Amino acid sequence: KNGGRKKKSSRGAPALVLGTLADLEAASKGGVDPDGEGTSQIAGDVLWSDPAPDVTGLVPNDNRGIGTMFGPDAVKEFMLTNEIALVLRSHEGPDAREDRPDLPSVQDGFCVDHDVKGVGKLCTVFSAPDYPQFVEEGEQRYNNQGAYVVLTAPGEFCDPAPRSFHAVKPRPKCQPYYDITVGGSDEEGPDGNLRVLHEPDDGGEGEYGSGKGEAQREEEIAEDDKEDEEDEGDE
């Protein structure tokens, strides 16, 4: 999803340096929702970075306010340095690609973003069909297919064979773990309010709940929004 409010300007940020698989292996997982700072920097970059066809190297991802955007040259360098020929990434669905016509569509759940001849490919796999799962009445549903890929030998498992699939319809009834009627409650990214899980309206204990009722949750979200506005006013 092209989610997450813009966290901060990238002006004055230090130069971005391409990492390695060893850096990734040694990195912290960043917690439930990594903010891309301190020990969660690598986790935030992995979660929120996006490919771009017209970028040289690495640049801050101002679309999301966290992570990076990387060009084919960065993919080539990363693959050669780490001796790999395939990168499969996700976390960018049809809504995000709708605003990025310079990149391939993910309506079928799979696309090749960077094909570095003689080196390898970077591909996007999106496995959530009929995205998003929950929408308010009148809002757009993308009617997309999800996909997974099959990797086989020969070819050293570097030639992905995508398998697309449709959502089951009518969709089974279920409840969202956020309030779709509250603006920002389903916001992804470091500034979103995606933190209150499965809390029942009666104030009881949910599966992941804290026993807070609907009124208290709305009050907390309003306080968060007020703090965001004050922070923006200070910048």
Side-chain angles (χ1 to χ4, degrees), residues 14 23 62 64 70 73 98 125 138 158 173 177-178 223-224:
D23 296 330
D62 289 334
R64 296 188 188 270
F70 53 89
D73 61 323
E98 184 179 52
V125 183
C158 292
K173 289 185 177 181
Y177 62 84
Y178 54 84
E223 289 177 357
D224 287 346

Side-chain angles (χ1 to χ4, degrees), residues 80-211:
L80 292 175
T81 299
N82 295 280
E83 299 181 333
I84 58 177
L86 176 65
V87 175
L88 297 175
R89 46 89 61 178
S90 187
H91 207 210
E92 193 177 17
D95 57 338
R97 288 296 170 93
E98 184 179 52
D99 298 328
R100 305 185 68 197
D102 53 338
L103 284 171
S105 168
V106 290
Q107 277 295 117
D108 295 331
F110 176 85
C111 68
V112 178
D113 296 312
H114 293 323
D115 187 353
V116 184
K117 295 188 181 303
V119 178
K121 298 177 181 179
L122 179 133
C123 309
T124 292
V125 183
F126 192 75
S127 301
D130 197 29
Y131 184 81
Q133 183 177 12
F134 299 105
V135 294
E136 291 190 76
E137 185 176 354
E139 289 189 355
Q140 180 180 2
R141 194 182 290 282
Y142 286 88
N143 299 309
N144 61 296
Q145 297 183 75
Y148 61 93
V149 298
V150 177
L151 304 176
T152 57
E156 298 183 351
F157 302 95
C158 292
D159 188 15
R163 302 286 190 268
S164 298
F165 56 91
H166 293 278
V168 174
K169 293 184 178 180
R171 298 177 68 96
K173 289 185 177 181
C174 57
Q175 294 296 321
Y177 62 84
Y178 54 84
D179 188 344
I180 63 174
T181 66
V182 176
S185 65
D186 65 338
E187 287 264 358
E188 298 176 11
D191 294 335
N193 289 315
L194 248 177
R195 72 203 190 293
V196 182
L197 306 180
H198 299 293
E199 293 181 347
D201 294 343
D202 60 4
E205 293 291 340
E207 181 180 359
Y208 298 100
S210 59

Side-chain angles (χ1 to χ4, degrees), residues 4-28:
R5 303 170 190 169
K6 289 191 176 180
K7 186 167 185 273
K8 59 184 177 181
S9 172
S10 61
R11 290 175 293 181
L16 299 174
V17 179
L18 195 64
T20 66
L21 289 178
D23 296 330
L24 180 60
E25 184 178 10
S28 163

